[in-house]
């Protein structure tokens, strides 16, 4: 009887996993479950149906198309150096239609939300619910890959900021997940919390129309906007928020200063990890949460891929600060080795095997400071030791040139942000909202 694989999530991780298994695991039957009505994951952002989707109107990647590509599948020549969200979605559709959709061993379930996943009698039972009809379907599988991403459950510190819940109740405080464009902020005062890529981008877009934009960051001295950035003077960097008062429309900062006449708060503070369909001992071993559906990290993993308590369960693209598309294929190639019995996973987790290395990371899943390069090399080394050169499909092997380009990302991103800051300033001078324009280094 052919082996059966279920993949949960049809974004980059799920699609990459399907491609690699179809190529490297002969005869396996794959079922892909996606709650949306199209593959593409968070990159599916239709203009007529984009409420509560993670993307926003004027978004481009912060990784060049030359690094972001899948193995043997470059972006088209006419795509900008930093692809726009629609470019990425079109790219994923092309990838799906070329490598996955034609296979007779593949079946996709769109509009199908996984609601329960349990293990018993050496097989997995997966229950999915059709989002249109509410009809439930139950299927059995030998292997599971969770590629449902980590961009669905917003992390908003309601319990840590007094008064914030009232702002949320009135729609005046939101997570960056619901940000679409800057038009709502014309002549308003907005506080953006968080200084990651999304936070910086949102501040820049708001500055084209807002009366005042405050960047609330952890360390003001280290997060000041560089002098060579042509950022509109309406932007000011301030410390973290201590408390808020919706009735007075004030925000108190940790340095004691009070911001007045604040209209909106936007929290660009990241997301939780979540697999709400897992239950019982598996959920407890994975997220160590008994009363919540989300967690700041997952546990009991090997190489952030395989669940050591049951190596028939794997995860795609849990790490952050990475180049996701080629990584997803490398991780999937490792999964094939494990699921096919070519590679035995240790009983110990990363926390037990690599405590010194993990202590150098901001958190378990965040491979900051270019530590992702070591991770790619490590996965490739494992593949090399388990016959990867003989596999029909081979993931991207990071060359010295690739690594140099990855290291240049920091400087390239600065050049890109200088251009985008100037774009915001120019838009403000012309009294028009921010609109993304093509830019090459």
């Amino acid at each position: 009887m052919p082996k059966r694989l279920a993949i949960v999530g049809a974004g980059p991780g799920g699609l990459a996993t399907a491609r690699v298994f179809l190529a490297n695991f002969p005869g396996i039957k794959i079922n892909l479950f996606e709650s949306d009505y199209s593959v593409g994951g968070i990159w599916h952002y239709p203009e007529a149906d984009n409420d509560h989707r993670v993307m926003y109107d004027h978004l481009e990647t912060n990784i060049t198309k030359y690094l972001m590509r899948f193995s043997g599948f470059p972006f088209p020549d006419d795509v900008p150096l930093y692809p726009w969200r629609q470019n990425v979605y079109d790219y994923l559709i092309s990838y799906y239609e070329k490598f996955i959709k034609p296979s007779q061993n593949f079946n996709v379930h769109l509009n199908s939300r996984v609601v329960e996943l349990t293990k018993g009698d050496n097989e997995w039972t997966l229950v999915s619910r059709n989002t249109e009809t509410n009809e439930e379907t139950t299927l059995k599988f030998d292997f599971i890959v969770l590629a449902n991403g980590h961009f669905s459950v917003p992390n908003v510190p309601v319990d840590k900021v007094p008064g914030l819940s009232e702002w949320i109740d009135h729609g005046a405080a939101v997570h960056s997940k619901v940000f679409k464009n800057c038009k709502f902020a014309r002549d308003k005062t907005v506080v953006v919390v968080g200084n990651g890529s999304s936070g910086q981008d949102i501040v820049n877009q708001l500055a084209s129309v807002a009366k005042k934009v405050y960047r609330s960051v952890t360390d003001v001295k280290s997060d000041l906007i560089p002098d060579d950035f042509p950022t509109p003077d309406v932007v000011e960097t301030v410390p973290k928020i201590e408390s808020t008062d919706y009735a007075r429309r004030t925000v108190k900062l940790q340095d004691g200063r009070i911001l007045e006449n604040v209209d909106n708060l936007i929290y660009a503070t990241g997301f939780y990890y979540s697999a709400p369909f897992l239950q019982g001992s598996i959920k407890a071993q994975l997220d160590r949460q008994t009363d919540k559906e989300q967690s700041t990290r997952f546990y009991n993993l090997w190489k952030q891929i395989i669940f050591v308590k049951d190596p028939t369960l794997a995860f795609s693209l849990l790490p952050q600060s990475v180049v996701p598309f080629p990584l997803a294929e490398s991780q999937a190639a490792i999964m094939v080795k494990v699921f096919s019995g070519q590679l035995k996973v240790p009983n110990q987790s990363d926390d037990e095997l690599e405590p010194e290395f993990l202590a150098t990371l901001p958190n378990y899943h965040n491979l900051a400071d270019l530590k992702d390069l070591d991770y790619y090399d490590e996965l490739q080394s494992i593949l090399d030791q388990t016959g990867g050169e003989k596999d029909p499909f081979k993931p991207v092997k990071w060359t010295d040139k690739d690594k140099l380009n990855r290291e240049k990302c920091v400087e390239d991103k600065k050049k890109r942000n200088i251009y985008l800051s100037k774009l915001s300033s120019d838009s403000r001078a012309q009294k028009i909202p921010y609109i993304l324009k093509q830019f090459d280094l």
Side-chain angles (χ1 to χ4, degrees):
M1 179 179 178
K3 294 296 183 180
R4 304 156 297 174
L5 168 67
I7 302 172
V8 181
L15 296 180
T17 301
R19 178 195 183 185
V20 176
F21 270 87
L22 288 171
N24 288 358
F25 199 127
I28 195 167
K29 301 293 184 180
I30 299 176
N31 281 263
L32 175 62
F33 295 85
E34 171 54 53
S35 60
D36 204 350
Y37 58 88
S38 171
V39 302
I42 62 173
W43 296 98
H44 181 219
Y45 183 87
E47 291 187 9
D49 178 29
N50 58 29
D51 286 345
H52 303 293
R53 294 181 183 268
V54 178
M55 295 290 159
Y56 41 91
D57 292 352
H58 304 290
L59 180 144
E60 65 177 17
T61 67
N62 55 14
I63 302 171
T64 69
K65 65 180 181 181
Y66 301 113
L67 288 178
M68 196 170 177
R69 85 290 188 204
F70 287 114
S71 179
F73 195 67
F75 277 85
D77 291 340
D78 60 350
V79 169
L81 179 63
Y82 292 96
W84 296 10
R85 56 170 178 76
Q86 185 63 42
N87 299 138
V88 178
Y89 175 69
D90 293 341
Y91 176 76
L92 290 171
I93 294 298
S94 298
Y95 179 85
Y96 168 70
E97 292 180 344
K98 180 174 182 178
F99 296 111
I100 304 165
K101 186 178 180 180
S103 175
Q104 295 182 350
N105 288 336
F106 173 80
N107 186 32
V108 63
H109 305 262
L110 298 176
N111 296 308
S112 296
R113 185 180 302 280
V114 176
V115 294
E116 185 176 323
L117 184 60
T118 55
K119 181 72 179 285
D121 298 326
N122 294 318
E123 65 180 2
W124 292 90
T125 300
L126 185 151
V127 180
S128 63
R129 180 179 297 134
N130 187 285
T131 57
E132 295 182 327
T133 66
N134 283 327
E135 180 181 355
E136 291 191 352
T137 302
T138 301
L139 295 172
K140 305 285 187 177
F141 296 97
D142 301 292
F143 309 110
I144 302 290
V145 174
L146 299 187
N148 57 317
H150 45 85
F151 297 102
S152 59
V153 183
N155 179 4
V156 179
V158 178
D159 56 339
K160 297 179 181 179
V161 180
L164 179 57
S165 59
E166 190 172 2
W167 290 73
I168 294 175
D169 291 342
H170 286 84
V174 297
H175 189 268
S176 57
K177 178 180 179 179
V178 304
F179 174 81
K180 298 305 171 192
N181 57 57
C182 64
K183 294 179 181 178
F184 78 94
R186 182 172 291 282
D187 299 326
K188 293 184 177 181
T189 297
V190 184
V191 180
V192 179
V193 181
N195 194 40
S197 296
S198 294
Q200 294 177 32
D201 207 7
I202 290 171
V203 164
N204 197 49
Q205 296 193 25
L206 294 175
S208 68
V209 296
K211 177 181 179 181
K212 184 73 176 182
V213 181
Y214 294 103
R215 301 168 64 241
S216 176
V217 300
T218 301
D219 187 342
V220 173
K221 290 183 178 179
S222 64
D223 286 328
L224 282 174
I225 298 174
D227 292 336
D228 55 351
F229 271 53
T231 304
D233 57 11
V234 297
V235 177
E236 182 179 348
T237 302
V238 298
K240 292 176 68 174
I241 295 174
E242 181 174 302
S243 63
T244 64
D245 186 328
Y246 179 75
R248 293 182 171 85
R249 307 310 289 254
T250 59
V251 171
K252 184 178 181 180
L253 304 175
Q254 289 188 346
D255 64 357
R257 180 180 171 190
I258 294 178
L259 308 180
E260 299 181 338
N261 301 316
V262 175
D263 295 292
N264 298 93
L265 304 174
I266 299 178
Y267 276 81
T269 43
F271 296 81
Y272 288 108
Y273 288 85
S274 179
F277 36 77
L278 289 174
Q279 301 175 359
S281 62
I282 294 177
K283 171 178 165 50
Q285 292 167 339
L286 179 66
D287 64 16
R288 297 184 180 176
Q289 301 282 345
T290 57
D291 58 346
K292 297 180 180 180
E293 290 188 348
Q294 68 273 350
S295 175
T296 55
R297 61 158 291 187
F298 286 155
Y299 297 84
N300 288 305
L301 300 176
W302 176 74
K303 304 304 178 189
Q304 303 213 33
I305 304 172
I306 306 296
F307 185 53
V308 298
K309 301 297 184 181
D310 185 337
T312 63
L313 172 63
F315 295 81
S316 177
L317 292 182
L318 293 180
Q320 302 174 32
S321 302
V322 298
V323 184
F325 291 11
L327 174 59
E329 292 182 329
S330 294
Q331 289 183 320
I334 295 287
M335 296 174 199
V336 170
K337 298 295 184 184
V338 175
F339 290 175
S340 63
Q342 301 175 62
L343 174 61
K344 182 174 176 58
V345 173
N347 295 326
Q348 294 174 296
S349 69
D350 294 333
D351 294 273
E352 298 166 289
L353 294 173
E354 304 178 86
E356 294 84 5
F357 170 71
L358 296 184
T360 69
L361 302 178
N363 60 62
Y364 173 56
H365 294 302
N366 191 347
L367 301 181
D369 300 324
L370 300 176
K371 290 185 175 66
D372 60 317
L373 291 174
D374 295 331
Y375 184 56
Y376 309 144
D377 282 346
E378 185 178 18
L379 298 187
Q380 186 60 53
S381 177
I382 294 171
L383 292 173
D384 291 343
Q385 295 170 28
T386 52
E389 285 298 324
K390 298 179 181 179
D391 291 337
F393 170 84
K394 301 174 185 63
V396 170
K397 261 192 179 180
W398 281 72
T399 65
D400 289 342
K401 181 179 179 180
D402 290 332
K403 293 177 182 179
L404 179 61
N405 287 334
R406 178 70 176 116
E407 292 169 356
K408 286 177 56 184
C409 276
V410 175
E411 187 62 30
D412 288 347
K413 184 178 179 182
K414 179 180 178 180
K415 293 178 183 177
R416 164 184 172 268
N417 286 340
I418 288 175
Y419 168 80
L420 296 179
S421 294
K422 185 177 186 304
L423 177 60
S424 178
S425 294
D426 291 345
S427 298
R428 185 174 187 84
Q430 298 172 41
K431 298 183 178 181
I432 60 174
Y434 179 100
I435 298 176
L436 190 60
K437 295 181 180 179
Q438 187 167 332
F439 165 67
D440 288 328
L441 294 176

